[in-house]
Amino acid sequence: MIAIEHSSIEHFRDLIATRLGLYFEDAKLGALGEVLRRRVEARGGSAADYLERHVASRAELRAIAVELTVTETYFFRNVEQFHALEEICIPERVAARRGGDLALLSLGCASGEEPYSLAMSVRMRGVNARIEAFDVNPNMLEKAEAASYSSWALRETPSDRASRWFDADGRTFRLAADIKKAVAFEERNLSEARELGRAGAYDIVFCRNVLMYFVPEVARAVVARIARALAPGGYLFLGHAENLRALSHDFHLCHTHGTFYYQRLDQAPVEIAPGSYPLPIEPLTTTWVEAVERATERIRVLAETSHRPKTAPGSPRAPDEPTPARGVELGLALELMKDERFGDGIQTLDVLSNDAARDPDVLLLRAALMTQAGRIDAAERTCTELLAVDELNAGAHYLLALCCESRGDRAGAAEHDRVAAYLDPAFAMPRLHLGLLARRAGDGETARREMAQALLLLEREDASRLLLFGGGFGREALLAICRAELGSEGRA
Ligand SMILES: C[S@@+](CC[C@H](N)C(=O)[O-])C[C@H]1O[C@@H](n2cnc3c(N)ncnc32)[C@H](O)[C@@H]1O
């Protein structure tokens, strides 16, 4: 057996990230080493030779894709998304196309269950549609073309659809020819820098359980291409554990039928350079201290650049003019929050220039201080201003949940909590709040489920985020609230 060095596995990982977009964390390096060893043995020669000469060939990339892609899928997966599709998206897009045919795209279609489910959905609505489906794994596409499935693949298929469009043949279920021919499959690597189709060509794109395996740069590039390929007002569905936070600002978040999906905004998609102002797309993993540091840096640059043109060299500075140094007050505001000096914290932010005050992280900090200070109307206005520039800001939704609750609107509070929890699954506070709201409403089962989730998340929650959103309670106190709630089984 060939010995594979650690450095070769790391090199292999980098090449896979570049060529296929796939991300493998350190814990997966052992398994990746096994794949590399098998591929080197299949090609003959050394690992260095393989990495230098073979890995980039199309044939080799296909073999690697077969080895490394996760291909789990089934018909009508996350069926609530198909309810939203059939009841909202399809009728709306038919109206937008004035009755013309629709165009749908399934990205990362695996063995075909997803695009064939789409074909059944459009057929149920009596609509004509062109459905295309792309995947990088040739073995999966072969299965998709064969269109024969096990009963397991049909486990979520409504019985009327199963009997209408499948023929049982022993233990396999053959798909009806009219659904089969509604879908055109294509072997396509999504990480290639190639447009998905003509601008605005598609009405609905499903890209579910694909982005979660990609390195962030590739995920962002793929979403940008989807935005360009979708018609304004067109819809995008992701997997239920995926969201567009930190990936795109080109979509509006929709929440109906117990599921989340996205609608492309009317304006043309914009290319946003990472870190650009005023819509920074932050890295996915970030602590709030890091966010404050980055915002502070953005504000410092802004304060310097916006200051320069106003003052002729050598002329005295107007007394009320923001100074460059004043841009760097965010850390201080956070400190004041820690000391529960909320009014002083707000005043610290009041001295920022207009541009700096509109920075999303400044708005979030201001909204948190206002919520804590009990200035609910002002907090709500600030959150709304923040969501106008960053609709997928989980913190703003959580603060709005608190504002709604303090106005007695529990349904609105729960809705904002659910959005916050969806946008940031590691965010403990909306879970805790949902638990408390459910308990107050007498829904013990939901209260226990949300509290149990909050307990898990609180253990790992970023300390600065607890400071910002914890309502003056530290980690231990919040954990104690959850434990007390979970201990009061039956009474919840
Ligand atoms: C988990 S499956 C998702 C199937 C289906 N969308 C669903 O949600 O049920 C992920 C699919 O993405 C495909 N995939 C992974 N990387 C890809 C790439 N770079 N280009 C195209 N497809 C890719 C895999 O081959 C796999 O079939």
Side-chain angles (χ1 to χ4, degrees), residues 94-308:
V94 168
R97 297 282 187 200
R98 297 176 197 279
D101 289 0
L102 300 190
L104 277 67
L105 181 60
S106 162
L107 298 174
C109 62
S111 37
E113 289 86 331
E114 179 178 281
Y116 288 141
S117 302
L118 294 175
M120 291 181 221
S121 283
V122 289
R123 206 54 67 86
M124 290 301 288
R125 299 291 319 191
V127 168
N128 287 329
R130 177 171 56 87
I131 301 172
E132 289 168 80
F134 301 163
D135 203 284
V136 76
N137 183 327
N139 290 6
M140 287 303 113
L141 292 171
E142 213 172 286
K143 254 191 97 181
E145 298 280 5
S148 261
Y149 296 94
S150 69
S151 58
W152 186 238
L154 274 71
R155 61 191 179 275
E156 293 289 331
T157 307
S159 54
D160 58 327
R161 297 182 192 197
S163 52
R164 179 168 171 192
W165 281 306
F166 288 91
D167 270 336
D169 179 6
R171 296 172 76 174
T172 59
F173 291 80
R174 277 186 211 292
L175 185 66
D178 61 326
I179 295 295
K180 187 171 170 326
K181 67 173 192 270
V183 181
F185 291 95
E186 187 179 325
E187 189 177 324
R188 185 86 91 93
N189 179 357
L190 293 177
S191 73
E192 277 169 11
R194 178 180 161 200
E195 294 303 320
L196 296 167
R198 210 171 23 80
Y202 295 99
D203 294 286
I204 295 160
V205 174
F206 270 51
C207 183
R208 303 188 305 163
N209 308 297
V210 180
L211 299 176
M212 63 197 281
Y213 299 108
F214 284 168
V215 293
E217 312 82 82
V218 171
R220 260 177 219 139
V222 170
V223 173
R225 271 177 233 132
I226 293 173
R228 287 192 289 272
L230 264 176
Y235 288 97
L236 168 63
F237 286 79
L238 302 181
H240 80 283
E242 298 170 312
N243 65 61
L244 288 186
R245 195 173 68 97
L247 293 183
S248 174
H249 292 293
D250 291 324
F251 294 85
H252 164 64
L253 178 64
C254 307
H255 186 199
T256 69
H257 299 79
T259 191
F260 290 95
Y261 52 102
Y262 296 86
Q263 186 168 29
R264 214 208 88 176
L265 298 175
D266 277 345
Q267 64 264 33
V270 275
E271 284 284 351
I272 301 166
S276 68
Y277 186 82
L279 293 176
I281 295 189
E282 305 291 8
L284 278 168
T285 49
T286 187
T287 69
W288 218 73
V289 164
E290 285 162 353
V292 163
E293 280 166 3
R294 269 197 307 272
T296 301
E297 181 53 25
R298 285 196 298 274
I299 289 160
R300 192 184 60 72
V301 171
L302 247 182
E304 280 174 6
T305 47
S306 63
H307 182 72
R308 245 178 250 136

Side-chain angles (χ1 to χ4, degrees), residues 46 55 96 146 199 227 259 272 285 289 313 338 361 370 382 445 452 456:
S46 68
V55 86
T259 191
I272 301 166
T285 49
V289 164
K338 201 188 280 177
D361 289 316
M370 285 169 163
T382 309
E445 194 186 325
L456 282 176

Side-chain angles (χ1 to χ4, degrees), residues 15 44 78-79 91 169-170 241 345:
L15 287 169
N78 302 132
V79 73
D169 179 6

